[in-house]
Amino acid sequence: MHEQPLQRFFKSLRERPVFAWERFQMRDVLVIDHPLCQAVFSRQGAQLLHFQPSGQKPWLWCAAKWPQVGAIRGGVPVCWPWYGRHPSENAWPSHGWARLIDWKLLDSSTDDDGVRLHWQLQLCDWQVDLRAHLGETLDLRLSTEHQDELPCQLSHALHAYWRIGHVDEVALSGLDGAQGYDQLNRQVCQQEGELRVDGGCQRVFQHEGELQLKDHAWQRELCIDTGDSADTVVWHPGSRPLLGVSFNEASGFVCVESAMAGASLAPGERAHLSLQARAGV
């Protein structure tokens, strides 16, 4: 099993402050060490890269090697203001600008329930806020305010890479009967029973409510909630290669994402997205 690369910050026996900035693979990262959890954010993209409640295995997967420039694969990238390829500009980066730009940390606080952080990005006529509450559970909330005088199109996602024992031994329940679209086979689909992703998967479901990620290799269950106004995306590359990621490394994650595509925002209107997770019973 590959160790999550950011766990290195927590191996020292010396007492750490709750919040501490460090430098790792040419990025500024905020290391969080709280009695209830350990976590790491990157300033680039306000990307949660590591989250581990006390006494548990890590919840998030992150690639061991990061490119010198560009997006970091793993954790929970904020895909914004488009998700996937841009609809008209082929040369623009997949999943938008937000995961490539440094965000501003407006506030961080700690209490007995965990830590709270507020990240913000101002870009052109947009204001994007990411609020995180981490403790025994994970709670991310993304808000976009459109500040231009004309309507605009927006798609965005919280593209979570969940850490697992092995992709061959996981199943996702809670989608039984859900309608969706299979992007690999390019056809509509309806889920029947548990979803297994060991052969590769790229499906977008119209779904509300909690899902259960059952990890038989690690004998644990994560309950994931993608909110009530989003699509639920389930993705794993299967045998297809990922740039900079070995096949063995890729077997240690599955993506269950909160996404919204094709929203039209009026001037002054806000769009919201959330992603929550807790340990199963």
Side-chain angles (χ1 to χ4, degrees):
M1 181 183 69
H2 293 273
E3 182 181 80
Q4 219 280 11
L6 294 156
Q7 288 178 272
R8 64 187 295 272
F9 289 114
F10 306 103
K11 287 187 172 182
S12 173
L13 296 178
R14 65 182 176 87
E15 186 175 347
R16 298 184 59 95
V18 175
F19 301 103
W21 285 102
E22 301 278 359
R23 190 75 175 165
F24 184 70
Q25 297 202 37
M26 302 179 67
R27 303 322 199 277
D28 292 330
V29 295
L30 181 63
V31 179
I32 300 167
D33 196 353
H34 185 277
L36 292 182
C37 68
Q38 296 171 336
V40 178
F41 273 93
S42 169
R43 192 194 304 275
Q44 177 184 312
Q47 189 166 336
L48 177 59
L49 297 170
H50 172 66
F51 175 67
Q52 184 173 5
S54 179
Q56 299 186 38
K57 289 182 171 65
W59 285 18
L60 298 175
W61 175 93
C62 186
K65 295 182 179 180
W66 305 350
Q68 291 188 5
V69 295
I72 304 168
R73 187 180 292 279
V76 189
V78 177
C79 302
W80 177 98
W82 62 88
Y83 175 57
R85 294 182 177 180
H86 190 276
S88 60
E89 301 291 341
N90 291 333
W92 287 9
S94 293
H95 298 317
W97 305 110
R99 65 183 187 150
L100 305 174
I101 298 174
D102 284 356
W103 291 48
K104 181 181 293 186
L105 180 60
L106 295 185
D107 185 55
S108 59
S109 62
T110 178
D111 57 27
D112 291 343
D113 292 329
V115 297
R116 290 174 171 80
L117 302 98
H118 179 191
W119 298 88
Q120 189 175 87
L121 177 65
Q122 291 274 173
L123 188 63
C124 300
D125 297 308
W126 306 81
Q127 177 180 303
V128 195
D129 294 274
L130 178 68
R131 290 177 169 84
H133 181 199
L134 307 175
E136 294 179 338
T137 62
L138 180 154
D139 188 341
L140 298 176
R141 298 177 187 270
L142 186 70
S143 174
T144 300
E145 182 178 357
H146 174 43
Q147 299 173 334
D148 197 4
E149 296 178 353
L150 298 173
C152 70
Q153 291 293 310
L154 170 73
S155 63
H156 53 178
L158 293 168
H159 185 350
Y161 290 74
W162 301 101
R163 184 79 187 270
I164 55 176
H166 197 283
V167 69
D168 291 345
E169 298 185 56
V170 296
L172 194 64
S173 62
L175 287 168
D176 189 31
Q179 302 287 330
Y181 185 77
D182 187 330
Q183 295 180 327
L184 293 182
N185 297 318
R186 298 183 179 180
Q187 62 185 21
V188 297
C189 62
Q190 178 172 314
Q191 183 59 35
E192 296 182 1
E194 293 183 332
L195 174 61
R196 296 184 178 272
V197 299
D198 52 299
C201 180
Q202 191 170 352
R203 298 182 187 178
V204 181
F205 292 99
Q206 301 166 0
H207 172 267
E208 295 180 9
E210 202 172 65
L211 306 175
Q212 293 77 43
L213 179 60
K214 300 177 181 179
D215 186 344
H216 300 295
W218 278 2
Q219 297 184 339
R220 79 169 179 189
E221 179 178 290
L222 293 179
C223 300
I224 302 166
D225 194 334
T226 56
D228 59 3
S229 61
D231 292 326
T232 297
V233 180
V234 182
W235 175 73
H236 188 272
S239 60
R240 290 170 295 161
L242 292 178
L243 184 64
V245 178
S246 70
F247 177 78
N248 287 339
E249 197 178 359
S251 69
F253 77 80
V254 63
C255 288
V256 181
E257 317 162 27
S258 176
M260 183 178 69
S264 179
L265 293 188
E269 191 175 0
R270 285 181 173 268
H272 302 279
L273 206 61
S274 67
L275 179 70
Q276 298 171 299
R278 62 180 180 85
V281 177

